[in-house]
Amino acid sequence: MSPGSRAKLVFFLLSLVALGAEAAAVTGRVSSPAGAPLSGKTVAAYGTNGLEARRQLTDAAGMYTLTIPAGRYRLLAYDELGAYATEFFAGADSFESTVLVQVTESVAFTANFTLRDGAVVSGVVLTANGPLASAPVEAYNLSGTRRGSTTTNAAGEYSLVLPAGDYKIFAYDANGFFAGEFHVDTRAFSDAVPVRVTPPAAVNLTFSLERAARVSGRISDAATGTRLDTLSVYAYTAAGALVAQTVTDAAGVFRFNLGPGQYRFVAADPDLLYGPAFFATGRSFERAEIVTLDAGQERSDLNILAERGTVVTGRASGAPNGIVIAYNLDGTVHTSTNVEEGQYRFVLAPGVYKIALVDPSGASATRFHRDATTFAAASEIRVAGGELLTGVDLTTTVAGRFTGTVADAVTQAPLSGMTVAAYDATGALAAQTTTSATGAFSLSVAAGSYRVLVYDTRFDYATAYANGATSYETTAPRTIGAGEVVPLDLRMRRGTRVTGTVRANGVAVDGVEVFALDAAGNRVAGTTTSNGAFTIPIAPGTYRFTVVDRRGRYLPPANPVTVTVGNASPAPLSFTLTTASRRRAARH
C-alpha cells in the first residue's frame, strides 16, 4: 500500500468516527414576533467550554437542523444583517444565564426561537491618543448579566444590536492602558445611567477613556507575614460602588488598572480561613483608607494584613431572602452574607461584633442575635482566630412600615437622599432608610412605639421631626403593629451649619455625640464626631451645645456652650473633654 493510499484510509476511518459521534441533533424554527418564518438566520450551539460547536442557517420555512455530538449546549439565534436582536434559548437575558440543554443521540432536541426587532447602538471609543481599536464594548442588563458585546474596528467604531430595553453600556481597553467606563463617564456598574433602547431608533454613544492608574499591593498574614494567594480583592469607589475585582497571585500580589478617582480596597477569603481585611488597617469599609488615584499614576504599596478568622454559622428564619450582617461595636459593617435555605455562614476577623438579620424587601423587621430589635440592645459576640462558632441563630417577624415623602417645607420640592430614622422607647435607633429620587421612603420596624425624624447627611437641611415637632423629646411617639402601614410625611427647612471640634488630652475624640439643646433642654439636633470634627445644620435660634460619650470614656462638659445661630455660620465651636475616672458618664 502506498503512503498516499494509507493516508486516504486513515482519513476515511476518522470521517466515520466523526459521523458516528455527530448522531445527535437540534431542530426547530426561527420566526418573527408575528409568527412569520425567518430565513437566513443563524442558530448556534455552544459547548460547556463556551466555544461554538456548530452553526446552521434557517431555510425558507425558517427551519434548521444542527448535527452535533451528544452533550450539553447553550443555544442561541441571531441575524447577521442586524435587523433582529440575538435571542437566547428559552428567553434567557444573556449567554451566561442560558440553560445548558442535554442533547442525546436517540431523540432530536427541539428549540424554537422568536427574534425581536433590534436597534443599533453604535459610536466610537476615543482616547487622548485618538480612536481605540480592538476595544471591547459590552451591553449589560440592569440585573448585571451581559446582553451583548463587540469590539471596535481600526477607527474605534463599534455597533451592537439590542432588543427593546434598558441597558448599561461599558467600554474598556483590553490591554489595560486606558481605564474602562460606563456611559456616561462612570466607573461602577451601580452608578451607571441606563440607556433606553427603542427599536428601530438608533442610539449613538461616544466613550472617552482616560489613562489608567496602575496599582498593586500584597496580602499577608498579619501574624506570620506569609503571603496569601487566591484571596479576592475588591476595588470600590469611596462611596461603596464596586468597580473591579481580582485575586492574589502565588506571591500574594494583586493588581488593578483603574480610572482617576477615589477608591477603597477590601480583601476577602473565599475559603473562609481569613477574615475580611481593609486597606491599610481597619475593621470596616467605612474606616478603610480612601486612596486617591490620578490618570497614569503607578502605585505598588497597597498592602493589606489579614487575620485568621472565625467561621460563624447559624439558622436565619423569617426572611428567606435576608442578609446577615456582622457589625463592629461602633456600628460600622464588618461583613455580610446572604441567607441560603435558611442558613448563613461567614468568617469574622478576631474582635467583638453584633449580628443582625436584615430583610432587604422590608417585609420583615431587622432582628439582632438573641432577639434584640435595636443595635444598642443586641448581645455582643466575641471571636478569636481559627475557631468555628455554630448556633448563632436569628429569627425575625413581620414588620410594620412608616411610609411617606420628605419635601422642602417652603417650595414643597421632593428631597432625595435624606435619612429617615425611627427610635424606640429607650431612645435607641431601631431602623433607618434614605429617600428616593421622588422623596419617598418606606421604613420597616418591629411592632412597637417610635419617634420618627429625618436628617440631611449633606448638612443643607435642619433635622425635622414627625408632625412638626421641634425637638426629639417633643415628638409624639407613634405606635405601629406588625403588618401595619402608617403614612407619615415630613417637611424640612434649610439650616445654618454649625461646625466644631472635640478633643481630650490634646487628641481628637472620635465617636462622641454633639447635641444642640433648646431653652427647655430638648435635643433639637445632634451628630457624631468623625476625626474629632462635627457639623450640625440647624434652624436660626439660640441653643446650648453639649457633648455626650455613650461609651463612658469622657465626662460631659461642665458648662454647655450657648450660641445664637443666624443665617450665617457662627465661629467654629471647640470642646475639651475630661477622661472619666473608673466610672461611666451619666447618660443624657
Side-chain angles (χ1 to χ4, degrees), residues 21-382:
E22 293 182 349
V26 178
T27 65
R29 183 173 185 265
V30 178
S31 58
S32 71
L38 296 177
S39 63
K41 307 309 173 196
T42 303
V43 179
Y46 289 79
T48 55
N49 58 4
L51 300 178
E52 182 181 283
R54 191 78 76 236
R55 71 173 68 177
Q56 180 67 48
L57 293 176
T58 58
D59 60 21
M63 303 299 295
Y64 73 92
T65 298
L66 279 174
T67 304
I68 50 179
R72 300 172 69 209
Y73 297 91
R74 288 184 171 92
L75 306 174
L76 57 86
Y78 59 93
D79 177 13
E80 291 278 7
L81 300 178
Y84 296 92
T86 299
E87 190 71 19
F88 303 101
F89 179 65
D93 66 358
S94 69
F95 178 83
E96 291 80 4
S97 61
T98 303
V99 64
L100 282 162
V101 300
Q102 184 68 50
V103 180
T104 63
E105 297 180 6
S106 57
V107 180
F109 186 87
T110 300
N112 298 321
F113 296 89
T114 299
L115 299 189
R116 292 174 286 170
D117 292 339
V120 175
V121 177
S122 62
V124 62
V125 178
L126 303 172
T127 71
N129 300 334
L132 183 61
S134 302
V137 180
E138 300 173 338
Y140 288 86
N141 299 298
L142 299 190
S143 63
T145 56
R146 188 175 60 178
R147 185 61 177 78
S149 63
T150 187
T151 55
T152 58
N153 61 19
E157 299 167 334
Y158 70 92
S159 180
L160 283 167
V161 179
L162 301 171
D166 292 335
Y167 304 94
K168 295 187 177 185
I169 314 297
F170 184 64
Y172 64 98
D173 176 13
N175 296 317
F177 189 74
F178 297 94
E181 70 173 42
F182 286 91
H183 178 76
V184 180
D185 193 26
T186 304
R187 303 294 177 206
F189 176 87
S190 60
D191 293 340
V193 177
V195 176
R196 175 151 295 180
V197 173
T198 308
V203 177
N204 186 270
L205 303 176
T206 297
F207 293 87
S208 297
L209 305 188
E210 297 180 89
R211 281 277 305 276
R214 297 172 182 261
V215 299
S216 63
R218 184 177 63 251
I219 312 295
S220 304
D221 185 300
T224 66
T226 303
R227 298 178 180 183
L228 305 176
D229 61 357
T230 68
L231 260 65
S232 299
V233 186
Y234 302 89
Y236 293 87
T237 65
L242 179 63
V243 175
Q245 65 185 77
T246 187
V247 296
T248 55
D249 62 18
V253 174
F254 65 90
R255 296 176 177 83
F256 287 112
N257 296 325
L258 301 169
Q262 292 187 317
Y263 299 90
R264 301 184 206 246
F265 296 90
V266 180
D269 182 6
D271 294 327
L272 302 185
L273 295 177
Y274 288 85
F278 308 86
F279 178 78
T281 57
R283 308 291 302 176
S284 66
F285 180 85
E286 294 92 330
R287 297 287 185 259
E289 181 179 327
I290 296 175
V291 178
T292 300
L293 300 176
D294 299 321
Q297 180 180 0
E298 294 191 9
R299 183 170 175 177
S300 59
D301 61 345
L302 302 181
N303 301 322
I304 301 175
L305 298 176
E307 296 179 279
R308 279 271 181 174
T310 291
V311 174
V312 179
T313 68
R315 295 189 301 271
S317 57
N321 298 312
I323 299 173
V324 177
I325 302 175
Y327 292 92
N328 297 296
L329 295 189
D330 63 1
T332 58
V333 175
H334 180 64
T335 192
S336 63
T337 190
N338 293 325
V339 175
E340 296 183 1
E341 298 181 351
Q343 305 282 332
Y344 77 92
R345 178 185 181 91
F346 53 31
V347 61
L348 306 179
V352 184
Y353 303 93
K354 296 186 176 185
I355 298 179
L357 172 59
V358 177
D359 182 2
S361 73
S364 300
T366 296
R367 271 291 201 281
F368 290 84
H369 181 52
R370 301 199 187 284
D371 203 32
T373 59
T374 66
F375 179 86
S379 298
E380 296 179 359
I381 295 177
R382 186 179 298 272

